[in-house]
Amino acid sequence: YTWLNTLSLHDALPIYYNGFSFGQKFYTPSNITENEAKDYDRPYAAWLYLGIEKEKIEQSKKVIKGIQLGLMGPNALGEFVQKGVHRAIGEEDPSGWKEQVEEMVGVQYYISEYKEKGKNSNLDGYSSWSIHKEMEVGNIFSNLKYGILMQMGNKSIYNDEKGDWKYYVYYE
């Protein structure tokens, strides 16, 4: 960085993005070949949702807040998708979807925060590690996550240099 680049980057922050998502999550028992649910194991379930989110990028920090609306149960198409994928890749057919959770409309709220703690930047690329905290709450499930995100690429996930391609790989 030169002083001028650093100054212009700080002047442009924070940056806000609005986004949407469409997704599906699956929850399966430990043994997918059992036809009946066990008392000690989770039942089959799928969560099919649409979501909207707002992302805020600051120097060395990114916060994402969002809400998802969707369905859990047979109309979430979990059985159809999982069996199709298993057939396509030659895996065993999952049994027991007849005992999946009941139909339910769901609302989920989430907030996710990344704070960069260490970085290395040079002409060859960029690498960093960040603390990641996330909370999801709603009538479908609740989740708390805390961990480390390691990233390598040509730019940081915490900046927005217009017109440049940004690529990176990460492990969390």
Coordinates of all heavy atoms in Angstrom, one line a residue, residues 95-161:
S95 N -33.2 -44.1 3.0 CA -34.6 -44.6 3.4 C -35.0 -43.8 4.6 O -34.2 -43.2 5.3 CB -34.4 -46.1 3.8 OG -33.9 -46.8 2.8
G96 N -36.3 -43.7 4.8 CA -36.8 -43.1 6.0 C -37.4 -41.7 5.8 O -37.8 -41.1 6.8
W97 N -37.4 -41.2 4.6 CA -38.0 -39.9 4.4 C -39.5 -39.8 4.7 O -40.0 -38.8 5.0 CB -37.7 -39.4 2.9 CG -36.4 -38.7 2.8 CD1 -35.3 -39.2 2.2 CD2 -36.2 -37.3 3.1 NE1 -34.3 -38.3 2.2 CE2 -34.8 -37.1 2.7 CE3 -36.9 -36.3 3.6 CZ2 -34.2 -35.9 2.9 CZ3 -36.3 -35.1 3.8 CH2 -34.9 -34.9 3.5
K98 N -40.1 -41.0 4.8 CA -41.5 -41.0 5.1 C -41.8 -40.5 6.5 O -42.9 -40.1 6.9 CB -42.2 -42.4 4.9 CG -41.7 -43.5 5.8 CD -42.3 -44.8 5.5 CE -42.0 -45.9 6.4 NZ -40.7 -46.2 6.8
E99 N -40.7 -40.5 7.4 CA -40.8 -40.1 8.7 C -40.2 -38.7 9.0 O -39.8 -38.4 10.1 CB -40.2 -41.1 9.7 CG -41.0 -42.4 9.7 CD -40.5 -43.3 10.9 OE1 -40.1 -42.8 11.9 OE2 -40.6 -44.5 10.7
Q100 N -40.1 -37.9 7.9 CA -39.5 -36.6 8.0 C -40.4 -35.7 8.9 O -41.5 -36.0 9.2 CB -39.2 -36.0 6.7 CG -40.5 -35.6 5.9 CD -40.1 -35.0 4.6 OE1 -39.6 -33.9 4.5 NE2 -40.5 -35.7 3.5
V101 N -39.8 -34.6 9.3 CA -40.5 -33.6 10.1 C -41.8 -33.1 9.4 O -41.8 -33.1 8.2 CB -39.6 -32.4 10.6 CG1 -38.5 -32.9 11.4 CG2 -39.2 -31.6 9.4
E102 N -42.7 -32.6 10.2 CA -44.0 -32.1 9.6 C -43.8 -30.8 8.9 O -42.8 -30.1 9.1 CB -45.0 -31.9 10.7 CG -45.4 -33.2 11.4 CD -46.4 -32.9 12.6 OE1 -46.8 -31.8 12.7 OE2 -46.6 -33.9 13.3
E103 N -44.7 -30.5 8.0 CA -44.7 -29.3 7.2 C -44.8 -28.1 8.1 O -45.6 -28.1 9.1 CB -45.9 -29.3 6.3 CG -45.9 -28.3 5.2 CD -44.9 -28.7 4.1 OE1 -44.8 -29.8 3.7 OE2 -44.1 -27.8 3.7
M104 N -43.9 -27.1 7.9 CA -43.9 -25.9 8.7 C -43.4 -24.7 7.9 O -42.4 -24.9 7.2 CB -43.1 -26.1 9.9 CG -43.1 -24.9 10.9 SD -42.2 -25.1 12.5 CE -41.3 -26.6 12.4
V105 N -44.0 -23.6 8.0 CA -43.5 -22.3 7.4 C -42.5 -21.8 8.4 O -42.7 -21.8 9.7 CB -44.6 -21.3 7.1 CG1 -44.0 -20.0 6.7 CG2 -45.5 -21.9 6.1
G106 N -41.3 -21.3 8.0 CA -40.3 -20.8 8.9 C -39.8 -19.5 8.6 O -39.8 -19.0 7.4
V107 N -39.2 -18.8 9.6 CA -38.6 -17.5 9.5 C -37.3 -17.7 10.3 O -37.3 -18.1 11.4 CB -39.4 -16.4 10.1 CG1 -38.7 -15.1 10.0 CG2 -40.8 -16.3 9.4
Q108 N -36.2 -17.3 9.7 CA -34.9 -17.3 10.3 C -34.2 -16.0 10.2 O -34.2 -15.4 9.1 CB -34.0 -18.4 9.6 CG -34.4 -19.8 9.8 CD -34.2 -20.3 11.2 OE1 -35.1 -20.7 11.9 NE2 -33.0 -20.2 11.8
Y109 N -33.5 -15.5 11.2 CA -32.7 -14.3 11.2 C -31.3 -14.7 11.5 O -31.0 -15.6 12.3 CB -33.2 -13.3 12.3 CG -32.3 -12.1 12.4 CD1 -32.3 -11.1 11.5 CD2 -31.3 -12.1 13.5 CE1 -31.4 -10.0 11.7 CE2 -30.4 -11.0 13.6 CZ -30.5 -10.0 12.7 OH -29.6 -9.0 12.8
Y110 N -30.4 -14.1 10.8 CA -29.0 -14.3 11.1 C -28.1 -13.1 11.0 O -28.4 -12.1 10.3 CB -28.4 -15.4 10.1 CG -28.4 -15.0 8.7 CD1 -27.3 -14.4 8.1 CD2 -29.5 -15.3 7.9 CE1 -27.4 -14.1 6.7 CE2 -29.6 -15.0 6.6 CZ -28.5 -14.4 6.0 OH -28.5 -14.0 4.7
I111 N -27.0 -13.1 11.7 CA -26.0 -12.1 11.7 C -24.7 -12.8 11.7 O -24.4 -13.7 12.5 CB -26.2 -11.0 12.8 CG1 -25.1 -9.9 12.7 CG2 -26.1 -11.7 14.2 CD1 -25.4 -8.7 13.6
S112 N -23.8 -12.3 10.9 CA -22.5 -13.0 10.7 C -21.4 -11.8 10.7 O -21.6 -10.9 10.0 CB -22.4 -13.8 9.4 OG -21.2 -14.4 9.3
E113 N -20.4 -12.0 11.5 CA -19.3 -11.0 11.6 C -17.9 -11.6 11.4 O -17.6 -12.6 12.0 CB -19.4 -10.3 12.9 CG -18.3 -9.2 13.1 CD -18.3 -8.6 14.5 OE1 -19.0 -7.6 14.7 OE2 -17.6 -9.1 15.3
Y114 N -17.1 -11.0 10.5 CA -15.8 -11.4 10.3 C -14.9 -10.2 10.7 O -15.1 -9.1 10.2 CB -15.5 -11.7 8.8 CG -16.3 -12.8 8.3 CD1 -17.6 -12.6 7.7 CD2 -15.8 -14.1 8.3 CE1 -18.3 -13.6 7.2 CE2 -16.6 -15.2 7.8 CZ -17.8 -14.9 7.2 OH -18.6 -15.9 6.7
K115 N -13.9 -10.5 11.5 CA -12.9 -9.4 11.9 C -11.5 -10.0 11.6 O -11.0 -11.0 12.1 CB -13.0 -9.1 13.4 CG -14.0 -8.2 13.8 CD -13.8 -7.7 15.2 CE -14.8 -6.6 15.5 NZ -14.7 -6.2 16.9
E116 N -10.8 -9.3 10.7 CA -9.5 -9.6 10.3 C -8.5 -9.4 11.4 O -8.5 -8.3 12.0 CB -9.1 -8.9 9.0 CG -7.8 -9.3 8.4 CD -7.6 -8.7 7.1 OE1 -7.6 -7.4 7.0 OE2 -7.4 -9.4 6.1
K117 N -7.7 -10.4 11.7 CA -6.7 -10.2 12.8 C -5.3 -10.3 12.4 O -4.4 -9.7 13.0 CB -6.9 -11.4 13.9 CG -8.3 -11.3 14.6 CD -8.4 -10.0 15.4 CE -9.6 -10.0 16.2 NZ -9.8 -8.7 17.0
G118 N -5.0 -10.9 11.3 CA -3.7 -11.0 10.8 C -3.7 -11.0 9.2 O -4.6 -11.6 8.7
K119 N -2.7 -10.4 8.6 CA -2.7 -10.4 7.1 C -1.3 -10.3 6.6 O -0.4 -9.8 7.3 CB -3.6 -9.3 6.6 CG -3.1 -7.9 6.9 CD -4.1 -6.9 6.4 CE -3.7 -5.5 6.9 NZ -4.7 -4.5 6.5
N120 N -1.1 -10.7 5.4 CA 0.1 -10.6 4.7 C -0.2 -10.2 3.2 O -0.9 -11.0 2.6 CB 0.9 -11.9 4.7 CG 2.2 -11.9 4.0 OD1 2.8 -10.8 3.8 ND2 2.8 -13.0 3.7
S121 N 0.3 -9.1 2.8 CA 0.0 -8.6 1.5 C 1.3 -8.3 0.7 O 2.1 -7.6 1.3 CB -0.9 -7.4 1.5 OG -1.2 -6.9 0.3
N122 N 1.4 -8.8 -0.5 CA 2.6 -8.4 -1.3 C 2.1 -8.5 -2.8 O 1.0 -8.7 -3.1 CB 3.8 -9.3 -1.0 CG 3.5 -10.8 -1.2 OD1 2.8 -11.1 -2.2 ND2 3.9 -11.6 -0.3
L123 N 3.1 -8.3 -3.7 CA 2.7 -8.3 -5.1 C 2.2 -9.7 -5.6 O 1.5 -9.8 -6.6 CB 4.0 -7.9 -6.0 CG 4.4 -6.5 -5.8 CD1 5.7 -6.3 -6.6 CD2 3.4 -5.5 -6.2
D124 N 2.6 -10.8 -4.9 CA 2.2 -12.1 -5.4 C 0.8 -12.5 -4.9 O 0.2 -13.4 -5.4 CB 3.1 -13.2 -4.8 CG 4.5 -13.0 -5.5 OD1 4.6 -12.6 -6.6 OD2 5.5 -13.3 -4.8
G125 N 0.2 -11.8 -3.9 CA -1.1 -12.1 -3.4 C -1.4 -11.6 -2.0 O -0.7 -10.7 -1.5
Y126 N -2.4 -12.2 -1.4 CA -2.9 -11.7 -0.1 C -3.3 -13.0 0.7 O -3.9 -13.9 0.2 CB -4.1 -10.9 -0.4 CG -4.6 -10.2 0.9 CD1 -4.2 -9.0 1.2 CD2 -5.6 -10.8 1.6 CE1 -4.7 -8.3 2.4 CE2 -6.1 -10.2 2.8 CZ -5.6 -9.0 3.1 OH -6.1 -8.4 4.3
S127 N -2.9 -13.0 1.9 CA -3.4 -14.0 2.8 C -3.8 -13.4 4.2 O -3.2 -12.3 4.6 CB -2.4 -15.1 3.0 OG -1.2 -14.6 3.7
S128 N -4.8 -13.9 4.9 CA -5.2 -13.4 6.1 C -5.9 -14.4 7.0 O -6.3 -15.5 6.5 CB -6.1 -12.2 5.9 OG -7.4 -12.6 5.5
W129 N -6.1 -14.1 8.2 CA -6.9 -14.9 9.1 C -7.8 -14.0 9.9 O -7.5 -12.9 10.2 CB -6.1 -15.9 10.0 CG -5.3 -15.2 11.1 CD1 -4.1 -14.7 11.0 CD2 -5.7 -15.0 12.4 NE1 -3.7 -14.2 12.2 CE2 -4.7 -14.4 13.1 CE3 -6.9 -15.3 13.2 CZ2 -4.8 -14.0 14.4 CZ3 -7.0 -15.0 14.5 CH2 -5.9 -14.3 15.1
S130 N -9.1 -14.5 10.1 CA -10.1 -13.7 10.7 C -10.9 -14.5 11.7 O -11.0 -15.7 11.6 CB -11.1 -13.2 9.6 OG -10.5 -12.5 8.6
I131 N -11.4 -13.8 12.7 CA -12.3 -14.4 13.6 C -13.7 -14.3 13.0 O -14.1 -13.2 12.5 CB -12.3 -13.6 15.0 CG1 -10.9 -13.7 15.6 CG2 -13.4 -14.2 15.9 CD1 -10.5 -15.1 16.0
H132 N -14.5 -15.4 13.0 CA -15.8 -15.4 12.5 C -16.8 -15.8 13.6 O -16.7 -16.8 14.3 CB -15.9 -16.4 11.4 CG -17.3 -16.5 10.8 ND1 -17.8 -17.7 10.2 CD2 -18.3 -15.6 10.7 CE1 -19.1 -17.5 9.8 NE2 -19.4 -16.2 10.1
K133 N -17.8 -14.9 13.8 CA -18.9 -15.2 14.8 C -20.2 -15.1 14.0 O -20.4 -14.3 13.1 CB -18.9 -14.1 15.9 CG -17.7 -14.0 16.7 CD -17.8 -13.0 17.8 CE -17.5 -11.6 17.2 NZ -17.5 -10.6 18.3
E134 N -21.1 -16.0 14.3 CA -22.4 -16.1 13.6 C -23.5 -16.6 14.6 O -23.2 -17.4 15.4 CB -22.3 -17.0 12.4 CG -23.5 -17.0 11.5 CD -23.3 -17.7 10.2 OE1 -22.4 -17.3 9.5 OE2 -24.0 -18.7 10.0
M135 N -24.7 -16.0 14.4 CA -25.8 -16.4 15.2 C -27.0 -16.5 14.2 O -27.2 -15.7 13.4 CB -26.2 -15.4 16.2 CG -27.4 -15.7 17.0 SD -27.9 -14.4 18.2 CE -28.5 -13.1 17.1
E136 N -27.7 -17.6 14.3 CA -29.0 -17.8 13.6 C -30.1 -18.2 14.6 O -29.9 -19.0 15.4 CB -28.8 -19.0 12.6 CG -27.8 -18.8 11.6 CD -27.6 -20.1 10.7 OE1 -26.9 -21.0 11.2 OE2 -28.1 -20.2 9.6
V137 N -31.2 -17.5 14.5 CA -32.3 -17.8 15.3 C -33.6 -17.8 14.5 O -33.7 -17.0 13.6 CB -32.5 -16.8 16.5 CG1 -31.3 -16.9 17.5 CG2 -32.6 -15.4 16.0
G138 N -34.5 -18.6 14.9 CA -35.8 -18.7 14.2 C -36.7 -19.8 14.7 O -36.3 -20.5 15.7
N139 N -37.8 -20.1 14.0 CA -38.6 -21.2 14.5 C -38.2 -22.5 13.8 O -38.9 -23.5 14.1 CB -40.1 -20.9 14.2 CG -40.4 -20.8 12.8 OD1 -39.6 -20.4 11.9 ND2 -41.7 -21.2 12.5
I140 N -37.2 -22.5 13.0 CA -36.7 -23.8 12.4 C -35.5 -24.3 13.1 O -35.5 -25.5 13.5 CB -36.4 -23.6 10.9 CG1 -37.6 -23.1 10.1 CG2 -35.8 -24.8 10.3 CD1 -38.8 -24.1 10.1
F141 N -34.5 -23.5 13.4 CA -33.3 -23.9 14.2 C -32.7 -22.7 14.7 O -32.9 -21.6 14.3 CB -32.4 -24.8 13.3 CG -31.9 -24.1 12.1 CD1 -30.8 -23.2 12.1 CD2 -32.5 -24.3 10.9 CE1 -30.4 -22.6 11.0 CE2 -32.1 -23.7 9.7 CZ -31.0 -22.8 9.8
S142 N -31.8 -22.9 15.7 CA -30.9 -21.9 16.3 C -29.5 -22.4 16.2 O -29.3 -23.6 16.5 CB -31.4 -21.6 17.7 OG -32.7 -21.0 17.7
N143 N -28.6 -21.5 16.0 CA -27.2 -21.9 15.8 C -26.3 -20.8 16.3 O -26.6 -19.6 16.1 CB -26.9 -22.0 14.3 CG -26.5 -23.4 13.9 OD1 -26.1 -24.2 14.7 ND2 -26.5 -23.6 12.6
L144 N -25.2 -21.1 17.0 CA -24.2 -20.2 17.3 C -22.9 -20.8 16.8 O -22.6 -21.9 16.9 CB -24.0 -20.0 18.8 CG -25.1 -19.2 19.5 CD1 -24.9 -19.3 21.0 CD2 -25.1 -17.8 19.1
K145 N -22.1 -19.9 16.1 CA -20.8 -20.4 15.5 C -19.7 -19.4 16.0 O -19.9 -18.2 16.1 CB -20.8 -20.4 14.0 CG -21.8 -21.4 13.4 CD -21.8 -21.3 11.9 CE -22.9 -22.1 11.3 NZ -23.0 -22.0 9.8
Y146 N -18.5 -20.0 16.2 CA -17.4 -19.1 16.5 C -16.2 -19.9 15.9 O -16.0 -21.1 16.2 CB -17.2 -18.9 18.0 CG -16.1 -18.0 18.4 CD1 -16.3 -16.6 18.4 CD2 -14.9 -18.5 18.7 CE1 -15.3 -15.8 18.8 CE2 -13.8 -17.7 19.0 CZ -14.0 -16.3 19.1 OH -13.0 -15.5 19.4
G147 N -15.3 -19.2 15.1 CA -14.2 -19.9 14.6 C -13.3 -19.0 13.9 O -13.3 -17.8 14.0
I148 N -12.4 -19.6 13.1 CA -11.3 -18.9 12.4 C -11.5 -19.1 10.9 O -11.8 -20.2 10.5 CB -9.9 -19.3 12.8 CG1 -9.7 -19.0 14.3 CG2 -8.9 -18.7 11.9 CD1 -8.4 -19.5 14.8
L149 N -11.4 -18.1 10.1 CA -11.5 -18.1 8.6 C -10.1 -17.8 8.1 O -9.5 -16.8 8.5 CB -12.5 -17.1 8.1 CG -12.5 -17.0 6.6 CD1 -13.6 -17.9 6.0 CD2 -12.8 -15.6 6.2
M150 N -9.5 -18.7 7.3 CA -8.2 -18.4 6.7 C -8.5 -18.2 5.2 O -9.2 -19.0 4.5 CB -7.3 -19.6 6.9 CG -7.0 -19.8 8.4 SD -6.1 -21.2 8.8 CE -4.5 -20.7 8.3
Q151 N -7.9 -17.1 4.6 CA -8.1 -16.8 3.2 C -6.8 -16.5 2.5 O -5.9 -15.9 3.0 CB -9.0 -15.5 3.2 CG -9.3 -15.0 1.8 CD -9.1 -13.4 1.7 OE1 -9.3 -12.7 2.7 NE2 -8.7 -13.0 0.6
M152 N -6.8 -16.9 1.2 CA -5.7 -16.6 0.3 C -6.2 -16.2 -1.1 O -7.2 -16.8 -1.5 CB -4.7 -17.9 0.1 CG -4.0 -18.2 1.4 SD -2.9 -19.7 1.3 CE -3.0 -20.3 -0.3
G153 N -5.6 -15.2 -1.7 CA -6.1 -14.8 -3.0 C -5.4 -13.6 -3.5 O -4.2 -13.3 -3.0
N154 N -6.0 -12.8 -4.3 CA -5.3 -11.6 -4.8 C -5.7 -10.3 -4.1 O -5.1 -9.3 -4.2 CB -5.6 -11.4 -6.3 CG -7.0 -11.0 -6.7 OD1 -7.9 -11.4 -5.9 ND2 -7.2 -10.4 -7.8
K155 N -6.9 -10.4 -3.4 CA -7.4 -9.2 -2.7 C -8.0 -9.7 -1.4 O -8.4 -10.8 -1.2 CB -8.4 -8.5 -3.5 CG -8.0 -8.0 -4.9 CD -7.9 -6.6 -5.0 CE -7.6 -6.1 -6.3 NZ -6.3 -6.2 -6.8
S156 N -8.2 -8.8 -0.5 CA -8.9 -9.1 0.8 C -10.4 -9.1 0.6 O -10.9 -8.4 -0.3 CB -8.6 -8.0 1.8 OG -9.4 -8.1 2.9
I157 N -11.1 -9.9 1.4 CA -12.6 -9.9 1.3 C -13.1 -8.6 2.0 O -14.3 -8.3 1.9 CB -13.2 -11.1 2.0 CG1 -12.8 -11.2 3.5 CG2 -12.8 -12.4 1.3 CD1 -13.5 -12.3 4.2
Y158 N -12.2 -7.8 2.6 CA -12.6 -6.6 3.3 C -12.4 -5.3 2.5 O -12.5 -4.3 3.1 CB -11.9 -6.5 4.6 CG -12.0 -7.7 5.5 CD1 -11.0 -8.7 5.6 CD2 -13.2 -8.0 6.2 CE1 -11.1 -9.8 6.3 CE2 -13.3 -9.1 6.9 CZ -12.3 -10.0 7.0 OH -12.4 -11.2 7.8
N159 N -12.2 -5.4 1.2 CA -12.1 -4.2 0.5 C -13.0 -4.3 -0.8 O -13.5 -5.4 -1.1 CB -10.7 -3.8 0.1 CG -10.0 -4.8 -0.9 OD1 -10.7 -5.4 -1.6 ND2 -8.7 -4.8 -0.9
D160 N -13.1 -3.2 -1.5 CA -14.0 -3.2 -2.7 C -13.3 -2.3 -3.7 O -13.7 -1.1 -3.8 CB -15.4 -2.7 -2.3 CG -16.3 -2.8 -3.6 OD1 -16.2 -3.8 -4.3 OD2 -17.0 -1.8 -3.8
E161 N -12.3 -2.8 -4.4 CA -11.6 -2.0 -5.4 C -12.4 -2.2 -6.7 O -12.4 -3.3 -7.3 CB -10.2 -2.5 -5.5 CG -9.4 -2.2 -4.3 CD -8.0 -2.7 -4.3 OE1 -7.5 -2.9 -5.4 OE2 -7.4 -2.8 -3.2

